[in-house]
Amino acid sequence: MLEFQTPELLRMPLQELCLHTKLLAPINCSVVDFLMKAPDPPPALIVRNALQVLKTIDAMDPWEDLTELGYHLTELPVEPHLGKMVLCAIVLKCLNPVLTIACALAYRDPFVLPALASQKRAAMLCRKRFTAGTFSDHMVLLRAFQAWQKACSDGWERTFCEKNFLSQATMEVIIGMRTQLLGILKASGFVRVRGGADIRDVNTNSENWAVVKAALVAGMYPNLVHVDRESLVLTGPKEKKVRFHPTSVLSQTQYKKIPLANGQTAAVQALPTDWVIYDEMTRAHRIANIRSCTVVTSVTVALFCGPARLPSNALEESSSFRGDGLSNDSSDSEMEDKTTANFSLLKLDEWLHLKLDPKVS
């Protein structure tokens, strides 16, 4: 047992720490230099990585100054990407479901993991029942919370939690966090008492799952992986092979007709779209696992990923990128050249490149 408890500076999320450090640090002192003065500073490389993520989500500019979004995120008691997700939900008018999902992700998974193997299978089936065919762990969190709220109103919430392998204490914390976060949004003026942007107005699209996913994508970026249909694997900017965490409902096939010989391969093959957002990536024995995942469409990725302002060269006509590995100019196939020429390239970041129909772009 440790003689002293690990300093809180080394236990709290670094992105959130960097945002608040920027408010406290002198103007001429960088975040890294300021934190290095602490008795037990976090590793400088990890701090720089956190700062890069903050720049990627537009919470900081290239000079490490807080943007308007960054200042708003410092007022919210959740990690920056979850705070951005909530603010985007207000703009997209789907606040209630995103508020629930953000609070569940900020605290912990409300599902209890049983010790017995037979109960583990039953617990996984409970999770899958909440998916409603959406290929989404976030939908599981949302529907489980909504069902628990209904059970509370009917007076049998504890029985409901036992039946569905949920933690009653965790659900109570999540609803407390929702209340606190909504209160902060009201105090900040994002949600008003009456008129435009009142609680009814900011929930106009709360029943539209496609709009809710748009808010999730805007907040989760750059936590995104692509489905390689040829190799049937998930790939990321730095990872050539990514796996679903065993607790994800996406880790098991949704359709019985797909053989279960290779669980992960079959799960990837069953995905209806080519993009997956996730909340957390962990590594065990050089294997990257993602948890809290949702499949999203290419259109949603194109609209809600990337920086707030794209550079002028973000969209390239087909003639400017032919021969860059996206097409083969030396090919003797006229059909292949014509097909390639019918696409433009949208570069959202160094890794996220999308082919677009020129008429759409």
Side-chain angles (χ1 to χ4, degrees):
M1 189 173 180
L2 294 176
E3 185 178 359
F4 300 103
Q5 187 178 12
T6 303
E8 186 175 2
L9 195 66
L10 302 178
R11 288 185 282 117
M12 68 181 297
L14 276 185
Q15 294 169 27
E16 191 175 354
L17 173 65
C18 290
L19 276 183
H20 289 92
T21 299
K22 189 61 186 178
L23 294 176
L24 300 173
I27 297 176
N28 58 349
C29 183
S30 69
V31 173
V32 175
D33 292 339
F34 188 81
L35 289 177
M36 290 304 107
K37 298 176 182 178
D40 292 295
L45 178 61
I46 299 179
V47 175
R48 291 190 181 94
N49 290 339
L51 290 171
Q52 185 56 49
V53 172
L54 291 173
K55 294 174 184 177
T56 301
I57 67 173
D58 294 316
M60 282 185 171
D61 63 21
W63 300 275
E64 289 188 14
D65 291 323
L66 292 181
T67 61
E68 187 174 353
L69 172 62
Y71 279 108
H72 289 310
L73 294 179
T74 60
E75 300 173 355
L76 303 179
V78 291
E79 293 182 52
H81 74 285
L82 298 178
K84 182 181 179 181
M85 183 195 304
V86 170
L87 295 180
C88 289
I90 295 175
V91 176
L92 296 173
K93 300 183 185 299
C94 57
L95 179 59
N96 264 344
V98 174
L99 203 58
T100 299
I101 293 169
C103 290
L105 295 176
Y107 186 51
R108 67 172 62 164
D109 188 350
F111 285 89
V112 177
L113 187 63
L116 298 177
S118 58
Q119 288 187 325
K120 285 182 180 180
R121 178 174 175 77
M124 197 64 198
L125 290 175
C126 281
R127 284 181 184 258
K128 293 177 77 69
R129 279 200 294 268
F130 288 115
T131 59
T134 57
F135 291 86
S136 172
D137 292 315
H138 300 107
M139 175 62 90
V140 171
L141 295 174
L142 176 61
R143 286 172 59 87
F145 181 82
Q146 292 173 339
W148 175 78
Q149 280 189 311
K150 187 178 186 305
C152 287
S153 63
D154 296 337
W156 66 292
E157 65 273 15
R158 293 194 178 277
T159 305
F160 173 83
C161 286
E162 292 174 2
K163 180 181 177 181
N164 292 281
F165 298 92
L166 289 164
S167 167
Q168 171 72 14
T170 300
M171 300 302 268
E172 290 175 352
V173 171
I174 291 173
I175 200 169
M177 292 176 66
R178 282 185 91 262
T179 303
Q180 179 192 13
L181 196 50
L182 184 58
I184 294 173
L185 294 172
K186 289 179 178 178
S188 301
F190 285 107
V191 180
R192 299 176 182 175
V193 178
R194 62 180 65 87
D198 65 359
I199 194 65
R200 180 179 295 182
D201 181 54
V202 297
N203 284 294
T204 304
N205 299 317
S206 289
E207 299 298 322
N208 190 328
W209 180 237
V211 178
V212 173
K213 283 201 295 183
L216 296 180
V217 170
M220 291 294 180
Y221 175 79
N223 291 355
L224 187 75
V225 293
H226 182 251
V227 180
D228 185 336
R229 292 293 177 183
E230 293 184 4
S231 304
L232 291 179
V233 295
L234 303 174
T235 61
K238 299 178 181 179
E239 305 289 343
K240 297 300 181 182
K241 188 174 183 180
V242 181
R243 300 168 64 94
F244 291 118
H245 192 272
T247 58
S248 171
V249 293
L250 276 69
S251 66
Q252 301 180 16
T253 54
Q254 303 278 327
Y255 304 118
K256 294 181 180 179
K257 63 182 180 181
I258 295 178
L260 297 175
N262 188 329
Q264 285 286 331
T265 301
V268 172
Q269 186 178 356
L271 298 178
T273 66
D274 291 342
W275 298 96
V276 179
I277 56 169
Y278 64 91
D279 178 60
E280 182 184 12
M281 179 181 287
T282 57
R283 289 177 177 82
H285 305 294
R286 297 184 180 180
I287 298 176
N289 294 285
I290 53 175
R291 62 172 75 211
S292 299
C293 311
T294 292
V295 298
V296 293
T297 63
S298 299
V299 174
T300 309
V301 170
L303 292 175
F304 295 96
C305 286
R309 293 183 179 181
L310 291 173
S312 57
N313 62 347
L315 184 64
E316 294 184 10
E317 298 299 329
S318 56
S319 59
S320 62
F321 65 83
R322 293 178 67 183
D324 290 340
L326 294 170
S327 65
N328 186 3
D329 288 335
S330 62
S331 171
D332 57 0
S333 172
E334 294 184 6
M335 182 63 70
E336 183 177 333
D337 289 341
K338 289 179 180 179
T339 302
T340 305
N342 286 335
F343 287 98
S344 297
L345 186 68
L346 177 62
K347 294 183 177 181
L348 296 175
D349 58 28
E350 294 181 358
W351 172 73
L352 188 50
H353 298 174
L354 298 173
K355 288 182 180 180
L356 302 178
D357 188 318
K359 295 179 181 178
V360 175
S361 60

